[in-house]
Structure formats: C-alpha cells, structure tokens
Amino acid sequence: MVDRLFADAGLAALYDQMCPRGQRADFDFYLPLVMSARSVLDVGCGTGAMLKEARDAGHSGRLCGLDPASGMLAQARKRPDIEWILGDLASTGWDSEYDLVVMTGHAFQVLIEDDELRRSLAAIRSALTDDGRFVFETRNRLSRAWDDWTPENPVEFTDSEGVNVRMTRRVTATVDDRLVSFTHTFISPRWNQPQVSTSTLRFFDAASLSRFLIDAGLFIEEQFGDWDRTPVTAASPEIITIARKDATRPSRIPRNRAGG
Ligand SMILES: C[S@@+](CC[C@H](N)C(=O)[O-])C[C@H]1O[C@@H](n2cnc3c(N)ncnc32)[C@H](O)[C@@H]1O
C-alpha cells in the first residue's frame, strides 16, 4: 500500500517545497546521466521534478516516470511533454527499452520484502537495453540515519501559497536495523489537526545490496558513499550505485512465491 504522504493529493502537493531543488545534490549527480541517455525510466518518480528538469534542459528523447501514488503522479502530470504511468514495476512488461533506469530520492528503499525486491530488479533488468544502466541510491544501513528522525529535528518550509508547514518524523519500530517504520507528522495553520502518514523503509549495507544485484543479473560498475563521489565506507550516508546488465546471465522474472 502506498504511503498517505504520497497518495494524498494535499500532502503530495507539499513534496517539492519540502525537498526543494536547491537542497538536492542528488539531482546534480543524476541529471548528466539522464541528459546523456536516449530513453530514461524514472521508477518512483514522485512529482517528476527530475524528468521535468531534464526536458527543460533540452532532453529530446523518451522520458517516462512510473509511480503508484496518485497524489504524486497528479503533480507530475501537470507536464504533458513527459510520459507518466500510474503503477509499479510489477504492472509493467518492458523489454530492452531504456538506456537508463533511475530510482532517486531513496525510492529504492520502499522495496521492502525480498520477493518484491527480486521481482523489481528483474523487471528493471528486463527494461534495460543490453548496455543500459540502472542508477539508484539507498541510505547506508550502517550510518543509521533514522536515529535523527525525532521530533527534535523538524523540517520547516512554506507551501506554494506561502503558508508555514512543520514536518517531524518519529520512529515507531525497527527490525534488525534493516526495516524502519516511522511516522511523518505535518502541522500547518491550513489544517485544524496534524496530518499523519506512516512509512516503512528498508535499509541496506553494501554487502547485502550487492548480493541482490548479482542475483538479479546486474553488476556494479561504480559505487559511491556520497554525492561527492567518495568511496563507500561504514560511515557513508549513502550507497549510490551505477549497475549494468550482466549479459552473461539470462533474463528471468522470479515467480511470486506467495502467489505463484
Ligand atoms: C521519497 S519519494 C521519491 C520521489 C522522487 N524519486 C524524488 O526523487 O523526489 C518515493 C517515491 O516512491 C514511490 N513508490 C512507493 N512505492 C513504490 C513502488 N512499489 N514502486 C515504485 N515507486 C514506489 C512513492 O509513491 C514516492 O513517489
């Protein structure tokens, strides 16, 4: 089920103000890759901010954003010059169509269960052209970003009409420092009560991530621990991966163990 934060039209409309372009070093990393690829799939594209920036910068090829959250996609669809698809990787059947598949803004971490992750990686591999690349990032499990997700660390911003909004996070459960469940609470004079959304994210270390990629027939071409391209260490905040299709392995979508 998609988080309320992304499905709700009112909360999704706050996303670009909460994560403004000026604070997004990730876009500076991804955009040159997007601009140099003929066809790009952005999985978990959200409001589509990155593909919109690529089109504005003169990208003339295929740009496609995929997201299962109606609130986020409603924001994205304000731009008709990009392809937007409401859904997730399980609902697609692309075969060798994209030079580049990206998952930005830690969207990769919404893939929680092993089966879901394996099926998604297989779908991404299938969507890639033979020399295509899959580029994405996850927060490094070992750096425990969630320790700072407390009400003492609010994010304050103004919405598109200049009204103040305060967002806080609170961790509600962790499993093996791998799955972290938490709430986002939004307070604003706009509403007479706080707006709460619950989320669970999966955190990876480099070794566990590598196993999933290799099993999916993807090999790691480059990996960085932060947006300045420093190497991954235990203390790195991010694990940023550029992966390629391993052409020596056959393409295979794993069957859903639960449903067959
Ligand atoms: C933190 S937002 C990142 C949005 C955008 N990529 C960015 O960089 O701003 C995570 C996005 O992942 C989407 N999402 C949730 N579940 C998903 C799934 N199973 N497959 C793909 N995207 C998903 C959410 O709807 C949300 O838009």
Side-chain angles (χ1 to χ4, degrees), residues 48-245:
M50 195 183 62
L51 294 185
K52 291 173 188 170
E53 192 169 326
R55 190 64 95 207
D56 288 342
H59 194 290
S60 57
R62 183 176 183 188
L63 297 175
C64 178
L66 173 74
D67 201 292
S70 55
M72 295 295 253
L73 217 64
Q75 294 297 317
R77 282 186 166 144
K78 290 178 180 170
R79 281 287 295 263
D81 55 349
I82 296 168
E83 194 179 341
W84 304 112
I85 298 175
L86 181 69
D88 59 19
L89 287 162
S91 60
T92 66
W94 286 302
D95 184 8
S96 306
E97 291 190 34
Y98 295 98
D99 299 320
L100 177 68
V101 176
V102 294
M103 290 186 83
T104 72
H106 305 113
F108 187 76
Q109 292 185 249
V110 306
L111 304 172
I112 292 169
E113 302 295 337
D114 285 5
D115 280 355
E116 179 186 23
L117 185 53
R118 289 195 185 100
R119 284 196 306 275
S120 298
L121 288 171
I124 287 167
R125 185 183 188 280
S126 168
L128 284 172
T129 54
D130 281 349
D131 58 353
R133 291 189 285 185
F134 172 41
V135 187
F136 66 100
E137 89 284 346
T138 165
R139 296 180 189 87
N140 180 7
R141 181 177 75 83
L142 302 179
S143 81
R144 300 178 58 91
W146 65 88
D147 284 342
D148 291 331
W149 294 354
T150 66
E152 290 72 42
N153 293 313
V155 176
E156 309 213 27
F157 58 97
T158 52
D159 69 13
S160 58
E161 287 161 13
V163 179
N164 289 333
V165 183
R166 182 185 172 93
M167 185 280 286
T168 54
R169 285 178 283 205
R170 183 192 292 274
V171 173
T172 53
T174 61
V175 179
D176 301 334
D177 286 353
R178 186 174 53 86
L179 298 182
V180 178
S181 298
F182 60 105
T183 55
H184 285 92
T185 301
F186 295 85
I187 296 173
S188 165
R190 252 179 200 292
W191 310 296
N192 55 17
Q193 58 187 23
Q195 305 293 303
V196 181
S197 171
T198 57
S199 303
T200 299
L201 293 179
R202 180 170 184 155
F203 285 72
F204 297 84
D205 53 53
S208 63
L209 180 62
S210 168
R211 276 194 296 278
F212 277 107
L213 292 172
I214 290 167
D215 286 353
L218 294 162
F219 70 87
I220 297 171
E221 188 173 73
E222 286 183 280
Q223 208 162 48
F224 308 106
D226 209 344
W227 301 111
D228 58 7
R229 294 179 173 258
T230 46
V232 179
T233 68
S236 299
E238 307 283 350
I239 303 171
I240 303 159
T241 302
I242 300 179
R244 270 194 201 271
K245 208 163 170 172

